[in-house]
Amino acid sequence: DQQVKQNSPSLSVQEGRISILNCDYTNSMFDYFLWYKKYPAEGPTFLISISSIKDKNEDGRFTVFLNKSAKHLSLHIVPSQPGDSAVYFCALGPQVSAGGTSYGKLTFGQGTILTVHP
Amino acid sequence: DGGITQSPKYLFRKEGQNVTLSCEQNLNHDAMYWYRQDPGQGLRLIYYSQIVNDFQKGDIAEGYSVSREKKESFPLTVTSAQKNPTAFYLCASSYSFSFTNTEAFFGQGTRLTVV
């Protein structure tokens, strides 16, 4: 049973427009949410994060929104640039157990391939 | 420069052979992780280690083994028991396993192909 889903395998956007990548999760115990960017044959690199106490975090062209009631996370990139073309993964964690201990392992979505056309 | 290094970048293995993937970090991180990436799927956790001389199974540990004898190193062995080993393997580390708001840093990955 997948706890984290990125329902769009791919997204194509024109340069200068907004890219919106979405991520849905089922477990409300997650309390930290991250986005990673990955180029082919390379490891993912951290992009931006948000904790469960916030609903928005902005860093330059990148903004992450969190809707806890809907268990929905999104990443907005504006304006999109050709260099943004990559696979984007949402990752959730740590997960707080019933005993109050945080577990550091991240749970990843399937990824969305973003292509930004010049 | 601090970072996390995986080697080799490409690895070919004959069926029935064990093979070990290297992962070294000089970030002084306590926690280390091994993930596997297959097409159309997210990163799946194989094993993780919270601290030296300790490791736990992740979601897909069958056919894999690890060791954590040094803080800097977390090698992964893909055994002949792993039925579908061809994949892209990613090693990661983070400052602490139990500290909240910790991002993971990833290596460049190893592409393993069974021939």
Side-chain angles (χ1 to χ4, degrees):
Chain A
D1 186 26
Q2 282 186 311
Q3 297 189 69
V4 183
K5 289 185 180 179
Q6 292 178 254
N7 290 316
S8 297
S10 63
L11 175 67
S12 184
V13 172
Q14 204 69 31
E15 181 179 7
R17 305 293 289 269
I18 186 171
S19 297
I20 300 176
L21 299 113
N22 296 303
C23 178
D24 296 294
Y25 61 97
T26 57
N27 191 332
S28 58
M29 298 291 275
F30 291 115
D31 68 353
Y32 194 55
F33 306 85
L34 309 92
W35 284 95
Y36 281 85
K37 176 180 178 179
K38 184 183 179 302
Y39 293 113
E42 293 186 9
T45 54
F46 170 74
L47 194 57
I48 193 170
S49 64
I50 189 169
S51 70
S52 59
I53 61 173
K54 292 186 174 182
D55 55 18
K56 177 183 176 181
N57 188 27
E58 192 172 349
D59 183 4
R61 296 185 298 113
F62 303 92
T63 303
V64 57
F65 294 92
L66 176 63
N67 183 333
K68 290 186 288 295
S69 59
K71 297 189 181 66
H72 180 78
L73 181 72
S74 64
L75 174 68
H76 292 208
I77 307 173
V78 56
S80 301
Q81 299 173 353
D84 296 329
S85 297
V87 180
Y88 289 80
F89 291 97
C90 61
L92 278 59
Q95 193 169 0
V96 180
S97 71
T101 302
S102 299
Y103 294 95
K105 61 178 186 174
L106 298 174
T107 303
F108 284 82
Q110 304 92 321
T112 297
I113 301 171
L114 173 65
T115 305
V116 180
H117 299 283
Chain B
D1 285 340
I4 181 165
T5 303
Q6 289 184 243
S7 61
K9 191 167 184 178
Y10 299 97
L11 188 57
F12 296 89
R13 189 196 92 177
K14 291 183 179 179
E15 281 194 41
Q17 284 183 338
N18 292 355
V19 65
T20 298
L21 282 61
S22 170
C23 179
E24 304 277 332
Q25 54 97 1
N26 60 2
L27 299 166
N28 200 32
H29 285 172
D30 280 328
M32 296 187 75
Y33 315 81
W34 274 104
Y35 289 89
R36 168 181 171 142
Q37 186 190 12
D38 294 284
Q41 298 199 41
L43 280 65
R44 293 183 292 166
L45 183 66
I46 305 172
Y47 266 98
Y48 61 98
S49 168
Q50 301 181 55
I51 202 163
V52 175
N53 295 320
D54 175 81
F55 52 83
Q56 282 86 38
K57 293 181 179 180
D59 300 318
I60 54 164
E62 186 176 350
Y64 299 98
S65 66
V66 293
S67 63
R68 187 86 187 276
E69 297 175 2
K70 297 187 299 182
K71 187 176 186 177
E72 302 80 18
S73 179
F74 191 40
L76 173 74
T77 296
V78 184
T79 74
S80 56
Q82 167 51 232
K83 292 181 173 30
N84 186 21
T86 295
F88 188 56
Y89 290 86
L90 286 159
C91 179
S93 69
S94 63
Y95 175 74
S96 169
F97 191 77
S98 60
F99 183 70
T100 57
N101 301 337
T102 298
E103 67 188 67
F105 294 83
F106 284 83
Q108 295 294 294
T110 294
R111 168 82 55 192
L112 173 63
T113 303
V114 174
V115 296

